[in-house]
Amino acid sequence: MDSTTETGRRATAASSAPPAFPSSGSEPPAIELRGISKAFGPVQANKDITLSVARGAIHGIVGENGAGKSTLMSILYGFYRADAGEIFINGERREIHNSQDAIAAGIGMVFQHFKLVENFTVLENVILGAEEGALLRPSLARARDLLTTLAAEYELSVDPEALIEDLTVGHQQRVEILKALYRKADILILDEPTGVLTPAEADHLFRILRNLRDEGKTIILITHKLREIMDITDTVSVMRRGQMTATVKTAETGPEQLAELMVGRKVLLEVEKTPAHPGPAVLEIEDLRVTDESGVDRLKGISLQVRAGEILGIAGVSGNGQSELLEVLGGYRNASGRILLNGIPLDLSGRHSDGQSRRAAGIAHVPEDRQREGLIMEFAAWENIAFGYHNDPKYQKNTLFMDNRALREDTRQKMKHFDVRPPIPRLKARNFSGGNQQKLVLAREIERNPDLLLVGQPTRGVDIGAIEFIHKRIIELRDQGKAILLVSVELEEILSLSDRIVVMFDGRIMGERIPAETDERELGLLMAGVQNGETT
Amino acid sequence: MEHSQNFVLFLVTLNQMITVSVVLIFAGLAGLFSERSGIFDIGLEGKMLISAFFAAAVSFATGNVWIGVLGGIAASMVFALIHGITSITFRGNQLISGVALNFLASGLTVVLGNAWYRKGGQTPTLSGDARFSEITLPFADALRDVPFLGPIYAEVISGHKPLVYVAFALVPLSWWLLYRTRFGLRLRAVGENPASVDTAGISVIRLRFVAVLIAGVLCGLAGAYLSTSQGAAFGREMTAGRGFIALAALIFAKWRPWYLLMATLLFGLLEAISNLFPNIDVFGLFTIPVQFTQALPYILTVVILAGFVGKAIPPRAGGEPYVKER
């Protein structure tokens, strides 16, 4: 009796559910998705996605922004409900309607933006939602014990009593992983985990992930950094426009092939540039100091030079004074010290210390945070193109009114030059993709033909195809003999674009290097404040 | 034992302080629960007012003050539910919802009062079992003769109405609930970062509704206290801005139960002084007019809200409806 029902069940399971991506062993895959589709209004975010991830593997998912990676993982974690399709966890069909279901199925997720309560302790964050009983004390005690074990097992040490807001991002991320492990997650999904980490922190994270895999956990890594995929994953899937375009073994592919699969055409990963021919110094900074509103010294005596026809890259973990440096140069933060532009001193704290005066002097600025400083998201593209240059005579109809028609025409031109898609001046900035928003800002600033271009994080959150384009335009500007100051937290970008690199740490310059004579490891040490093997 | 006149005045002032603080404690705790969950509650005033009215009306109709209190709580909870539906379910603006409820309470109480009792918005005076009477704590008389502490126990601590003791007991209870229980942890988390609660698989909406309804119960107690304990009838606009003072006390207290007790006692003391000593004579030189002493709690409120007492950081997700995001 028992055996017949057993075989009956097995038979139906076998007939209705052929494995979509057969795993080598007899063990069912940790995760299997079949025909997942999800639409948001007219946008098909996921279209008939099929994916199978073997147990104990690190599986990478790559794709451009908006390719549907996050949507797919949100479906797996119960944030969204798929319009169609099935989810199998360890060979068992699961309905995942909310995060609780996902946790019950053994899935843990580390989001790109951490979901931590800042003024809670590590322990409180770990037990939140997974408490043992109505009273906190026993849960906290149990969690403390478990954290000690996990810390030793996976190199996941964090002070359990520390407040989240006092921890570095790297440690905060560990708390997120601990949260998942505390909930007995077998499958761990990480969404762009290295975006906020220093190279050393990223290495540490990868060690943790390898340890977890060796313990039999399954890991899904969502990233746009192909190098990470090559470094750590066992298998990789590529998504493009809501569809899964390929799933391959990492050992059998390379970054070029993955990039091509992501974008749908050949992409140049290496920036092509000729050696620089630097001219006279355009920007000279001497002993620049900034103290912020709360009395903290942000810049502690910066001196540097940028010459005509060269790109100076400033590397550093964000928050070490790079933003303040750009703000001072852009004219919206006061400072002491001396800045010369083409030999003429700039006003650093007086009446002419503002964006207008800086633009008039020949400085153009592509701010780090395009959505807050570069654009007004609710304004149309043509209105955004006017910002900072609204006094330009060619935009004026007469003394009272602006010539909106001319402005829109100018916008259309700029959009064409910079391949902004769609090229519709009336569209709100919000409705462009990240890469196109950035191209809009670049179009506004570069087309002014500045002597000095300040660029902050030019490719943050930008698609691989657009990155190629943006890098090309920056190098073109350099070749026209302009000076460019580039601030980026992406070491790869700094290394490939810059002609000289300075590393900032804690408001100071840690050192200067030539790209050809250094590597990520050395820069990473400088970024962490280690000079000649000594911590400062 | 005869006491000096000053000592008697001191005792009377403290007694008054406790009596008038109670409303602020209830309302302040109501605000605490609501705002700790991330829902701003400017409608404390309105909930108290509607409760005061219904507590008086139900007490009068049934002759039983406890049923009256339940009536007040029920009315206040209906208002809380409306606030919850507009600001949690429909993600409306929490301030506007609160202001609307205040207007609604202000108008509704007068209209219903006129329609039912025809006394210009007043409810009939409550007497007997329709009103609370004082409780004398044990040994109050026996200890009266102990120097200093005896009279304080007998005159200040003993001899209040039941809701007074409920209010003071709620302070440690709220602290315990917030900081020692699972519910408290989740409540505080949802007011700081609702996404953390959501991704942990707990319903943000349900948690916030519970908090808002707790606020409803507490405002109900505050209103019922006003019309059946402190007073003996409902009078139009009898809350007189106490809901807003409670909010000020809450900010003063940085959203913490024990600090809230201190803040409300301070406000209570100021109100007691203005009630008992209308015109304060300063060494015969000049007189501080009653208007000034009456205005003191409000002036202090303005000073506090202007941020003169150090930085008060509200719950970080306060006032923002929660929208799921990737």
Side-chain angles (χ1 to χ4, degrees):
Chain A
M1 183 68 203
D2 264 342
S3 63
T4 45
T5 38
E6 184 64 65
T7 32
R9 201 184 298 143
R10 217 182 276 143
T12 40
S15 61
S16 71
F21 192 89
S23 54
S24 47
S26 56
E27 208 181 14
I31 304 167
E32 197 178 341
L33 306 177
R34 284 188 208 158
I36 299 279
S37 289
K38 172 78 187 169
F40 295 102
V43 182
Q44 190 76 36
N46 283 164
K47 205 157 132 196
D48 195 22
I49 301 266
T50 293
L51 173 71
S52 169
V53 180
R55 190 185 248 298
I58 299 182
H59 184 90
I61 297 185
V62 285
E64 297 195 293
N65 293 320
K69 302 169 296 198
S70 294
T71 304
L72 185 64
M73 290 306 117
S74 298
I75 288 169
L76 193 51
Y77 197 65
F79 253 46
Y80 297 136
R81 275 192 78 176
D83 301 334
E86 295 173 310
I87 299 171
F88 294 81
I89 304 295
N90 295 324
E92 205 178 306
R93 189 168 168 198
R94 303 294 289 235
E95 293 286 339
I96 297 177
H97 297 316
N98 53 42
S99 307
Q100 195 93 61
D101 294 340
I103 293 166
I107 301 172
M109 180 129 174
V110 177
F111 290 87
Q112 192 175 2
H113 303 286
F114 304 147
K115 311 288 183 191
L116 298 170
V117 184
E118 295 259 303
N119 54 1
F120 276 20
T121 65
V122 169
L123 276 184
E124 285 171 330
N125 270 289
V126 166
I127 64 167
L128 179 66
E131 307 88 345
E132 305 273 296
L135 294 183
L136 288 185
R137 209 184 289 267
S139 317
L140 288 172
R142 219 188 74 88
R144 196 175 291 121
D145 291 345
L146 197 78
L147 247 53
T148 321
T149 326
L150 290 174
E153 217 172 320
Y154 302 115
E155 295 187 60
L156 266 168
S157 57
V158 192
D159 173 12
E161 309 297 339
L163 291 179
I164 297 297
E165 57 199 2
D166 296 335
L167 296 179
T168 62
V169 271
H171 279 81
Q172 292 184 7
Q173 192 173 54
R174 285 185 211 171
V175 178
E176 284 284 17
I177 297 174
L178 286 168
K179 263 168 75 178
L181 296 179
Y182 184 75
R183 287 158 175 74
K184 305 197 167 61
D186 265 332
I187 297 163
L188 199 60
I189 306 168
L190 297 105
D191 191 0
E192 299 284 359
T194 58
V196 289
L197 303 181
T198 63
E201 283 173 325
D203 283 346
H204 191 117
L205 172 70
F206 288 165
R207 275 209 303 282
I208 294 170
L209 295 185
R210 285 195 189 101
N211 287 341
L212 288 168
R213 174 190 58 190
D214 295 344
E215 291 294 315
K217 311 263 183 206
T218 308
I219 291 162
I220 294 189
L221 183 72
I222 302 174
T223 182
H224 65 274
K225 294 182 184 167
L226 296 175
R227 206 172 46 89
E228 290 174 1
I229 291 285
M230 298 311 299
D231 271 3
I232 190 173
T233 63
D234 302 311
T235 47
V236 54
S237 296
V238 183
M239 286 188 75
R240 174 153 52 99
R241 292 194 199 137
Q243 283 175 301
M244 198 64 94
T245 50
T247 296
V248 288
K249 286 209 167 72
T250 310
E252 294 166 7
T253 185
E256 291 78 15
Q257 191 198 354
L258 290 176
E260 195 179 331
L261 285 166
M262 274 164 72
V263 184
R265 63 177 168 82
K266 281 225 181 295
V267 181
L268 280 177
L269 289 180
E270 293 292 313
V271 179
E272 278 185 336
K273 67 177 210 245
T274 52
H277 303 288
V282 172
L283 176 75
E284 291 164 88
I285 300 178
E286 286 162 28
D287 196 29
L288 193 68
R289 289 169 191 277
V290 164
T291 305
D292 72 5
E293 299 76 15
S294 42
V296 180
D297 292 329
R298 293 294 177 181
L299 294 183
K300 302 169 180 172
I302 296 280
S303 300
L304 56 83
Q305 270 196 357
V306 189
R307 292 152 73 185
E310 79 164 350
I311 299 176
L312 178 71
I314 297 188
V317 180
S318 61
N320 279 291
Q322 309 96 306
S323 306
E324 285 77 6
L325 178 63
L326 283 181
E327 286 166 15
V328 170
L329 288 168
Y332 52 107
R333 186 184 277 279
N334 287 344
S336 65
R338 245 162 83 85
I339 299 180
L340 301 178
L341 188 73
N342 294 322
I344 303 163
L346 294 177
D347 183 1
L348 292 186
S349 56
R351 229 165 59 78
H352 294 289
S353 171
D354 60 32
Q356 279 298 314
S357 312
R358 294 290 148 82
R359 286 196 184 86
I363 299 178
H365 187 183
V366 178
E368 289 183 289
D369 188 341
R370 62 175 165 271
Q371 303 205 341
R372 282 180 48 220
E373 295 169 339
L375 297 166
I376 297 182
M377 303 305 283
E378 292 304 321
F379 278 26
W382 66 270
E383 290 168 309
N384 274 296
I385 284 288
F387 291 142
Y389 305 101
H390 48 278
N391 289 330
D392 185 334
K394 101 180 157 196
Y395 295 157
Q396 317 301 322
K397 193 176 264 170
N398 48 46
T399 44
L400 273 182
F401 293 100
M402 291 187 76
D403 189 350
N404 289 350
R405 193 184 303 258
L407 186 48
R408 275 196 287 269
E409 189 43 48
D410 191 49
T411 304
R412 198 167 289 125
Q413 286 295 324
K414 288 190 162 78
M415 288 176 122
K416 210 169 125 194
H417 292 166
F418 276 80
D419 190 32
V420 179
R421 276 178 278 181
I424 306 170
R426 286 176 191 275
L427 212 58
K428 277 183 187 175
R430 177 174 303 288
N431 297 330
F432 291 93
S433 73
N436 283 302
Q437 287 172 4
Q438 187 69 317
K439 285 195 245 171
L440 209 52
V441 180
L442 278 165
R444 177 177 75 207
E445 302 298 336
I446 291 183
E447 295 257 307
R448 289 283 153 179
N449 204 18
D451 292 336
L452 171 68
L453 179 70
L454 312 171
V455 202
Q457 320 297 349
T459 55
R460 182 185 277 172
V462 169
D463 302 338
I464 241 180
I467 290 177
E468 188 191 13
F469 180 88
I470 290 170
H471 284 172
K472 230 161 47 192
R473 297 309 290 253
I474 292 176
I475 288 168
E476 265 172 39
L477 198 69
R478 179 201 75 167
D479 292 342
Q480 289 164 25
K482 308 296 184 184
I484 291 162
L485 183 75
L486 166 76
V487 170
S488 175
V489 292
E490 300 281 349
L491 270 185
E492 257 182 282
E493 179 166 75
I494 290 278
L495 277 166
S496 58
L497 274 188
S498 315
D499 300 309
R500 274 190 305 133
I501 300 171
V502 297
V503 181
M504 278 182 74
F505 172 74
D506 193 27
R508 289 193 186 87
I509 288 178
M510 289 299 292
E512 185 180 323
R513 297 288 185 273
I514 303 292
E517 295 163 11
T518 186
D519 55 25
E520 296 204 7
R521 218 192 118 265
E522 189 189 20
L523 292 178
L525 284 176
L526 287 172
M527 280 162 68
V530 185
Q531 208 164 26
N532 307 326
E534 281 169 40
T535 314
T536 55
Chain B
M1 192 162 89
E2 279 297 303
H3 299 301
S4 72
Q5 201 198 346
N6 279 343
F7 188 59
V8 172
L9 272 180
F10 172 70
L11 292 180
V12 171
T13 312
L14 288 189
N15 186 303
Q16 268 266 333
M17 170 184 84
I18 286 181
T19 314
V20 298
S21 299
V22 168
V23 181
L24 296 179
I25 294 175
F26 278 131
L29 287 175
L32 183 82
F33 276 99
S34 186
E35 303 212 341
R36 275 289 187 158
S37 83
I39 304 293
F40 283 155
D41 197 351
I42 207 128
L44 295 175
E45 181 85 3
K47 288 201 277 280
M48 274 158 61
L49 196 63
I50 199 79
S51 160
F53 176 81
F54 275 97
V58 175
S59 281
F60 177 70
T62 60
N64 184 329
V65 64
W66 288 105
I67 299 178
V69 170
L70 289 181
I73 290 176
S76 167
M77 285 183 76
V78 169
F79 267 48
L81 197 64
I82 297 174
H83 187 50
I85 290 170
T86 48
S87 58
I88 305 170
T89 312
F90 292 110
R91 300 182 192 134
N93 185 305
Q94 297 167 10
L95 297 184
I96 291 176
S97 163
V99 169
L101 288 176
N102 287 342
F103 279 127
L104 187 62
S106 166
L108 201 61
T109 49
V110 175
V111 169
L112 290 179
N114 271 329
W116 291 350
Y117 308 111
R118 310 195 179 286
K119 297 174 81 175
Q122 291 261 350
T123 59
T125 308
L126 304 171
S127 57
D129 281 345
R131 210 186 156 216
F132 280 111
S133 47
E134 283 88 1
I135 299 175
T136 306
L137 293 184
F139 314 118
D141 281 321
L143 294 171
R144 194 176 292 273
D145 289 335
V146 177
F148 191 70
L149 291 178
I152 286 186
Y153 181 70
E155 301 294 335
V156 179
I157 297 175
S158 171
H160 290 287
K161 291 164 184 170
L163 287 184
V164 175
Y165 300 106
V166 173
F168 279 88
L170 278 175
V171 175
L173 185 69
S174 301
W175 171 83
W176 180 80
L177 203 59
L178 273 177
Y179 291 99
R180 286 292 180 268
T181 69
R182 173 175 64 193
F183 170 72
L185 185 77
R186 292 176 177 187
L187 186 82
R188 285 182 289 131
V190 83
E192 291 289 334
N193 184 359
S196 70
V197 171
D198 194 16
T199 50
I202 305 159
S203 165
V204 171
I205 289 175
R206 192 186 307 160
L207 255 179
R208 286 189 162 169
F209 260 108
V210 170
V212 165
L213 289 176
I214 290 177
V217 173
L218 292 169
C219 281
L221 286 168
Y225 175 80
L226 270 177
S227 63
T228 64
S229 273
Q230 204 174 336
F234 174 84
R236 58 193 300 173
E237 302 295 346
M238 79 181 304
T239 45
R242 286 189 181 85
F244 296 103
I245 298 211
L247 280 181
L250 188 60
I251 295 168
F252 197 11
K254 301 181 179 176
W255 292 267
R256 289 185 174 139
W258 286 110
Y259 290 17
L260 181 72
L261 179 66
M262 299 302 146
T264 50
L265 285 176
L266 176 65
F267 282 119
L269 183 65
L270 289 174
E271 196 178 330
I273 290 172
S274 75
N275 286 345
L276 292 169
F277 312 101
N279 295 305
I280 299 172
D281 197 48
V282 183
F283 307 122
L285 293 172
F286 59 92
T287 309
I288 297 174
V290 62
Q291 286 82 358
F292 181 76
T293 44
Q294 281 175 347
L296 254 185
Y298 302 90
I299 292 173
L300 194 68
T301 305
V302 170
V303 171
I304 287 167
L305 290 179
F308 283 98
V309 283
K311 203 169 180 186
I313 301 164
R316 260 165 253 201
E320 283 169 27
Y322 178 60
V323 184
K324 239 180 223 259
E325 53 165 342
R326 276 181 277 179

